[in-house]
Amino acid sequence: MTSSAVDPAALELELVRRRVFLALFIALAVALHTFEVLLPNPLPWFRIGLANILALTALFLYGQRALWIVSLTRILVGSLLLGNLFSPAFLLSLSGGLSATLLMSVAYRFCRPRIGPVGVSVLGALGHAGGQLLIAWLLIVRHPSIWMMLPFFLLFSLISGMVNGLAADYLLDALFKHPAFARLRSMGEKEAI
Amino acid sequence: MRRGGWLQRLTPFDCKLVVVLAVIVLLSFLLLLRRGVGTRVLVTSGDRTLFVADLSVDRRVELNGPLGTTVLQIADGGVRILSSPCSRKICIGMGEARHPGDLLACVPNRLVVRIEGADAVARERGYDFLSR
Amino acid sequence: MFARPQWLILLLVLIAGLVWWRVPADTQQLSRTALIMGTLVEIRAFGDDQQQLNQAISDAFAEMTRLEDLLSSHRPDSDVARLSSAEKTVKVSAETAKLLQLGQQVALRSGGAFDMTLGAVKQLWAIETDHPQIPTAEQLQTALHGIGPRALQIDGTQVTKSVPALQVDLGGIAKGYAVDRALAVLRRAGIRSAAVNAGGDIGLLGDRQGQPWRIGIQHPRNKGQLLTTLRLADRAVVTSGDYERFFERDGVRYHHIFDPHSGQPARRSQSVTVVAADAASADALATAAFVLGPRAGLKLLEDWPAVEGLLVAADGTVYQTSGLQRSD
């Protein structure tokens, strides 16, 4: 679909490879999503969002569509595994995930060559916190005091966003060195869907 | 590929973005944390909880105790007893409760009005219980 | 990384550890209030199971209500009311007899400063009612007739009064005893960390999640100000003060702690705080030391084993026993 110099067999191989890697990313993201529940967290709603590392990696490897696929599938499958599908916790997770993904893909779309994984990740983390709190306020605790938590949420997600962004950046570096992504590198990230 | 310190992994745009967002977070701290908020009002009689409500929603509540009806008013983030069938009206004289841990009690009518969140207050004021 | 089995094993061990660490439920806290013995009683307990806490606190409240029925002078069929209305000898429950014995011990050791037979004097002043009044000297003389540490002869569960008109009032010890019993109920329910606060008479079971409980001591004159903060575990704290229940007439404050020698409100102290192993003793000793005043009161507390105290004299000077650990 990009340059005519690419022969069909190689393109087919690349597409299969992409699907396999996306599936791997989703699997890893789900694992991290579940794993995170086990981690000690100071306050019940604070999450580092480790799964977002994989979403970011998918975004920078394969573009916005991959980001949406990884994020949404991760939330659905992760909640299914944790047994809280369609519970309030799931709604929080979904609303946070949707607003984070939306912010990340918009940032990626419009600020692309200048913005790096860290920038996208931080935006996503803040969007996650904001979206989650908004839904919590609308559906669960209709009380203004919930907004008292917003600053703490934002501060925490700023830090976790940077950590995740850096992790994604390291992962991207490592992946680009791997032969399986050599073609992608030669094609250039921009050409991905 | 890029090597070295983690700061170098941020593009210049990332750096600016993080700084701007950090400022926004700081501003949100300043804006939102200036006012404290009481939480929920809890009315109990004996062992039972009669009534739970949000302090931020203004309303008037009539509660029945053994002597009759005690009228409670929640307004402007505080709660006070408006009228009570008891003889000495001490509960009305107790004025307003608005901070977590504050208590109003009408002993004759066996009503206890309490604002929740005493734990945070205990941390702040430095003791768990007051001996008096 | 996953090519090497030791990493995989390490990761699995980590996950197993985290699962094990997360699965036990977090320690729950439950706090409930009830009106018992004419005062606000708060019980706070820590435990693993909210339901168990709730049940234990309900049982503790029930126990305190039972004691109110047994020891209140306002209940016509309570031990205390039967004792007051009796001509001479009454058989009381073993529990009441034991409490009377403890009270008598404090009464004797304090030279009569603590007295359980002041019922008639309290009725005269009527401070806890709507219409308090200042009794005349003759009225007081009559009300004080026959009182004293030896006014009640306790023989097993048989209690004999010195004079038929003697009115028993356990106001200075019953609340403390009820706190002790509530704690015993909580302890029996397997709770290891709890506090019972009956209008400022505080009993502590264990510590507060590894930290001592912090008990603020009310300043007797400045409401909202603390005299000090005590850090305690497994102790009882009771404060008696002239600011709790009083009325004022012609600029004079008439409060609810009476000197058995005069029948008048005791004037030597503003407040006394006693820390003891049980709240009943602390309650009685606080009243006794309040009546005795700084010198004799402090000596009483020093001499009583395993008891510490803090006394604010009438002039506002703060005295304390030598072993009291303050943290301010």
Side-chain angles (χ1 to χ4, degrees):
Chain A
M1 36 180 133
T2 45
S3 84
S4 52
V6 180
D7 70 290
L11 186 69
E12 184 62 33
L13 182 66
E14 178 52 37
L15 282 175
V16 170
R17 196 175 260 152
R18 173 180 304 186
R19 269 185 217 129
V20 170
F21 272 103
L22 269 185
L24 271 178
F25 286 169
I26 291 169
L28 258 178
V30 168
L32 284 177
H33 179 95
T34 323
F35 174 74
E36 221 182 280
V37 180
L38 294 172
L39 285 179
N41 48 350
L43 283 163
W45 289 353
F46 282 158
R47 286 282 152 77
I48 314 172
L50 290 173
N52 211 33
I53 297 171
L54 280 309
L56 278 167
T57 312
L59 173 69
F60 278 83
L61 283 177
Y62 303 124
Q64 292 173 55
R65 233 180 86 184
L67 166 75
W68 282 96
I69 291 170
V70 171
S71 290
L72 292 181
T73 320
R74 184 261 302 173
I75 293 165
L76 277 168
V77 179
S79 304
L80 193 66
L81 275 182
L82 291 175
N84 61 4
L85 198 58
F86 303 119
S87 72
F90 167 74
L91 280 180
L92 290 183
S93 190
L94 183 66
S95 59
L98 280 180
S99 56
T101 312
L102 191 70
L103 260 173
M104 289 198 292
S105 62
V106 167
Y108 184 83
R109 169 87 177 72
F110 292 101
C111 312
R112 181 41 207 142
R114 286 171 295 142
I115 201 164
V118 177
V120 175
S121 172
V122 167
L123 271 175
L126 291 181
H128 193 268
Q132 215 173 42
L133 219 54
L134 185 71
I135 290 300
W137 181 64
L138 286 176
L139 294 183
I140 301 166
V141 254
R142 187 104 203 193
H143 191 287
S145 73
I146 196 172
W147 293 107
M148 300 287 294
M149 292 161 71
L150 185 68
F152 298 99
F153 262 92
L154 291 182
L155 181 67
F156 188 83
S157 43
L158 191 68
I159 296 164
S160 65
M162 285 184 70
V163 171
N164 288 340
L166 287 169
D169 202 43
Y170 276 105
L171 186 60
L172 281 166
D173 269 10
L175 288 178
F176 275 130
K177 269 186 247 143
H178 195 275
F181 295 90
R183 229 196 100 70
L184 203 67
R185 192 169 55 212
S186 73
M187 271 163 51
E189 297 145 41
K190 252 171 108 177
E191 292 171 57
I193 306 159
Chain B
M1 286 287 123
R2 286 167 287 166
R3 290 248 159 240
W6 62 272
L7 259 179
Q8 282 169 301
R9 291 185 170 268
L10 276 69
T11 64
F13 185 86
D14 285 354
C15 283
K16 279 177 224 149
L17 190 68
V18 167
V19 169
V20 168
L21 292 176
V23 169
I24 291 176
V25 170
L26 273 180
L27 279 179
S28 75
F29 263 100
L30 291 178
L31 284 176
L32 279 167
L33 290 187
R34 270 190 314 181
R35 61 203 177 90
V37 175
T39 40
R40 293 197 307 167
V41 191
L42 213 89
V43 184
T44 51
S45 173
D47 250 10
R48 294 178 308 130
T49 299
L50 293 184
F51 172 76
V52 182
D54 216 303
L55 248 194
S56 59
V57 183
D58 291 1
R59 63 191 294 181
R60 190 180 281 226
V61 195
E62 294 184 0
L63 297 156
N64 290 316
L67 291 185
T69 305
T70 296
V71 182
L72 213 70
Q73 178 182 271
I74 303 174
D76 303 325
V79 57
R80 54 168 65 245
I81 293 175
L82 280 190
S83 77
S84 168
C86 57
S87 54
R88 290 213 280 171
K89 314 283 183 207
I90 292 176
C91 49
I92 299 175
M94 288 173 104
E96 198 176 53
R98 53 169 57 241
H99 303 293
D102 281 0
L103 279 171
L104 300 175
C106 181
V107 178
N109 211 17
R110 303 190 79 79
L111 291 175
V112 181
V113 181
R114 186 159 72 140
I115 299 186
E116 280 197 326
D119 236 28
V121 182
R123 222 170 299 133
E124 196 177 295
R125 69 189 172 180
Y127 61 85
D128 300 309
F129 294 103
L130 184 64
S131 182
R132 59 192 160 77
Chain C
M1 162 173 165
F2 293 100
R4 293 183 212 134
Q6 63 263 42
W7 281 110
L8 204 61
I9 289 165
L10 205 66
L11 189 73
L12 284 176
V13 167
L14 178 72
I15 289 176
L18 282 168
V19 167
W20 177 80
W21 184 76
R22 291 294 288 184
V23 164
D26 296 330
T27 306
Q28 305 276 316
Q29 184 191 169
L30 185 62
S31 174
R32 277 171 54 190
T33 41
L35 284 170
I36 301 169
M37 294 183 158
T39 185
L40 200 61
V41 181
E42 179 185 357
I43 297 184
R44 192 182 303 177
F46 293 91
D48 298 330
D49 178 18
Q50 196 79 12
Q51 200 121 38
Q52 177 210 357
L53 288 177
N54 201 26
Q55 186 56 47
I57 292 179
S58 290
D59 292 348
F61 279 143
E63 173 73 359
M64 294 181 87
T65 310
R66 180 184 72 80
L67 289 169
E68 182 178 14
D69 293 341
L70 189 70
L71 303 173
S72 162
S73 47
H74 303 302
R75 303 289 160 98
D77 50 354
S78 72
D79 272 3
V80 168
R82 287 194 302 116
L83 199 51
S84 292
S85 59
E87 281 297 308
K88 203 160 170 65
T89 305
V90 167
K91 187 173 160 49
V92 297
S93 69
E95 200 172 17
T96 309
K98 225 177 91 196
L99 186 62
L100 286 172
Q101 249 154 6
L102 172 68
Q104 195 167 43
Q105 203 188 341
V106 177
L108 287 169
R109 290 271 293 266
S110 64
F114 174 75
D115 199 314
M116 298 180 290
T117 52
L118 287 178
V121 174
K122 291 190 181 173
Q123 279 163 28
L124 269 183
W125 286 89
I127 281 181
E128 280 155 54
T129 68
D130 301 344
H131 307 288
Q133 51 159 349
I134 304 169
T136 64
E138 294 91 67
Q139 281 177 314
L140 279 178
Q141 202 62 47
T142 319
L144 288 172
H145 177 64
I147 68 139
R150 301 202 181 276
L152 296 176
Q153 297 273 318
I154 307 154
D155 181 20
T157 55
Q158 298 286 333
V159 182
T160 308
K161 299 200 291 186
S162 63
V163 291
L166 205 62
Q167 299 288 300
V168 176
D169 183 292
L170 297 184
I173 193 167
K175 210 162 67 171
Y177 181 67
V179 169
D180 288 334
R181 288 300 311 156
L183 282 182
V185 168
L186 293 171
R187 192 182 293 119
R188 212 169 46 214
I191 288 167
R192 275 173 298 184
S193 175
V196 178
N197 178 8
D201 289 16
I202 297 160
L204 305 171
L205 174 62
D207 52 18
R208 190 192 190 289
Q209 306 270 283
Q211 296 285 320
W213 296 91
R214 295 159 306 170
I215 308 299
I217 307 299
Q218 167 83 55
H219 190 286
R221 288 294 173 265
N222 306 340
K223 198 171 182 258
Q225 198 187 321
L226 293 186
L227 211 51
T228 182
T229 308
L230 304 176
R231 291 174 176 274
L232 302 164
D234 271 320
R235 301 259 93 184
V237 189
V238 176
T239 301
S240 284
D242 59 7
Y243 50 86
E244 288 173 85
R245 290 186 289 268
F246 62 88
F247 70 98
E248 272 173 359
R249 202 151 294 169
D250 303 325
V252 182
R253 175 187 290 210
Y254 297 95
H255 62 83
H256 72 297
I257 306 169
F258 301 103
D259 187 337
H261 296 292
S262 64
Q264 298 280 340
R267 296 284 178 212
R268 295 192 188 98
S269 321
Q270 290 180 357
S271 81
V272 175
T273 300
V274 174
V275 181
D278 64 293
S281 306
D283 204 354
L285 284 170
T287 307
F290 185 95
V291 171
L292 288 172
R295 189 124 41 87
L298 217 58
K299 184 166 184 324
L300 174 74
L301 299 181
E302 289 277 13
D303 290 349
W304 205 280
V307 157
E308 300 298 337
L310 191 73
L311 189 149
V312 183
D315 59 4
T317 321
V318 180
Y319 300 87
Q320 66 176 68
T321 55
S322 47
L324 189 76
Q325 302 280 325
R326 296 166 60 153
S327 61
D328 42 3

